[in-house]
Amino acid sequence: MAQHPIKHTTLISTLSAAVLAVALTACSSPSVPADQPTDGPTAGADQPSDVPAGTGDFVPDDAWFTAVDDARTSLSDFLGFWDAQDCTMDKVVAGDFNCNIQISGIVQGVNDLAPLLADTVNIAPDSASSIAGLEGSAPTAAQAATDTAAYSDAVCDFAPDDACIPLGDTLVASATALSVEIAGWNAP
């Protein structure tokens, strides 16, 4: 019995998109600067939410500003491509190569931004003005990271199916909210 060519082509294009997305993620993601912690109290979601901005000890440096700006630009670009190409999660599930690339970029953009923006909660008083436009972004970034984790935990980034549609829609909405929230920030 011969295999149906459409199913075979869809499977190949879905797998190709997943492999390309992983390769692009590995090559294009800005890393957290070496002097930034990857665990502990300034690393992300475990940061106390009752610490007011401007009362901590985090002093951002040029590497941090560059990493935030690069991640913000990347996320904005992928969201723009998502909209320009009329991407939907239905298209992702159907194996649309371009939409698969865009959702992968959105995931990576959120993953790059969230740990950086978590540091803003612990900003030093003398540095608070340098993050004007970012100061309230940590909770939005944390929500987008939670939505990204749910999407990835359901293996939607490698094998999207109908169950991924609401997860992807939620991810795109929270990533868009984050992008809009920080759009007015300019690196000093």
Side-chain angles (χ1 to χ4, degrees):
M1 176 178 240
Q3 186 174 15
H4 193 277
I6 293 176
K7 288 182 181 178
H8 183 41
T9 303
T10 302
L11 176 62
I12 289 174
S13 67
T14 300
L15 290 174
S16 297
V19 168
L20 181 59
V22 169
L24 287 174
T25 298
C27 294
S28 68
S29 64
S31 61
V32 176
D35 63 339
Q36 297 300 314
T38 56
D39 62 349
T42 62
D46 60 347
Q47 177 69 14
S49 61
D50 60 348
V51 177
T55 60
D57 60 2
F58 174 64
V59 177
D61 59 10
D62 288 342
W64 186 86
F65 290 126
T66 299
V68 170
D69 198 38
D70 289 349
R72 176 186 65 165
T73 299
S74 178
L75 177 62
S76 176
D77 288 350
F78 279 109
L79 286 166
F81 297 143
W82 176 268
D83 290 339
Q85 295 173 6
D86 295 322
C87 288
T88 64
M89 283 306 300
D90 288 322
K91 287 184 175 181
V92 171
V93 170
D96 183 292
F97 182 76
N98 289 322
C99 293
N100 273 291
I101 294 298
Q102 305 323 324
I103 194 75
S104 294
I106 292 167
V107 166
Q108 188 61 48
V110 169
N111 287 339
D112 290 342
L113 268 172
L116 294 166
L117 295 178
D119 289 333
T120 62
V121 176
N122 195 32
I123 194 80
D126 292 344
S127 297
S129 64
S130 70
I131 63 160
L134 296 178
E135 63 272 2
S137 63
T140 307
Q143 182 59 56
T146 297
D147 295 339
T148 298
Y151 183 82
S152 294
D153 289 348
V155 197
C156 295
D157 41 0
F158 291 106
D161 59 19
D162 288 342
C164 296
I165 292 173
L167 295 170
D169 289 344
T170 300
L171 165 60
V172 171
S174 63
T176 300
L178 176 60
S179 183
V180 167
E181 185 174 311
I182 65 174
W185 176 74
N186 293 305

